[in-house]
Amino acid sequence: MQAEPDLDAIERKALAALRKQLGVKARDLPKGMKRVGRRLPRDAHRAAEVISTAKAHLSHPKLGRMVDHQSVLMAETVLHGHLDKIDPKERRKDALLSMLGTQAFNLIGVALLVIGLMVWRDLL
């Protein structure tokens, strides 16, 4: 029989990765994944659900024996695989460039509206 994985350590490791990569602060994995929302793919959400369900089942005497430890380890691998792909610096840079692009587009739109109004009023 294989050794049981320490689900508390797996959850702490996942929460630390969520905080480091995405800046999500949460006390437990389901709340953390809820705060992450659509920034992670569905596979990562399923993996986190497997981990949190296994943790809940281990507190029950009969359900604890039915936990598939291999699937928990695979879920941990999947979750950390998705989290390791995220670059926090790149996310900040993309957010800044998106904001600047939006502001530039709005500025051009306002300038065109002012010029159009001036042409319409025969001021230009």
Side-chain angles (χ1 to χ4, degrees):
M1 183 168 178
Q2 64 183 359
E4 294 180 5
D6 183 16
L7 292 179
D8 289 328
I10 290 172
E11 185 178 36
R12 281 193 308 269
K13 190 175 167 186
L15 287 172
L18 282 176
R19 180 174 291 196
K20 180 183 172 200
Q21 301 298 97
L22 295 170
V24 172
K25 297 176 185 175
R27 292 180 186 255
D28 59 353
L29 196 55
K31 286 183 182 175
M33 293 306 288
K34 188 173 183 178
R35 288 186 180 164
V36 165
R38 297 165 94 185
R39 290 182 276 175
L40 281 179
R42 189 175 291 178
D43 291 344
H45 283 275
R46 284 191 198 120
E49 186 177 346
V50 167
I51 294 169
S52 60
T53 305
K55 185 178 177 190
H57 284 179
L58 280 180
S59 65
H60 192 276
K62 287 186 179 181
L63 294 176
R65 287 184 255 151
M66 295 171 46
V67 172
D68 183 16
H69 300 294
Q70 190 65 29
S71 67
V72 171
L73 293 175
M74 284 296 296
E76 179 188 18
T77 305
V78 168
L79 181 60
H80 285 290
H82 285 294
L83 287 171
D84 290 340
K85 292 178 189 175
I86 297 172
D87 183 15
K89 290 180 183 177
E90 188 73 24
R91 283 188 61 242
R92 282 191 296 270
K93 183 185 79 167
D94 289 345
L96 180 67
L97 288 176
S98 175
M99 182 188 67
L100 290 175
T102 302
Q103 293 296 325
F105 180 77
N106 288 339
L107 188 63
I108 290 171
V110 168
L112 288 176
L113 284 174
V114 168
I115 291 172
L117 181 65
M118 291 175 74
V119 167
W120 182 45
R121 295 285 196 151
D122 291 329
L123 297 174
L124 268 184

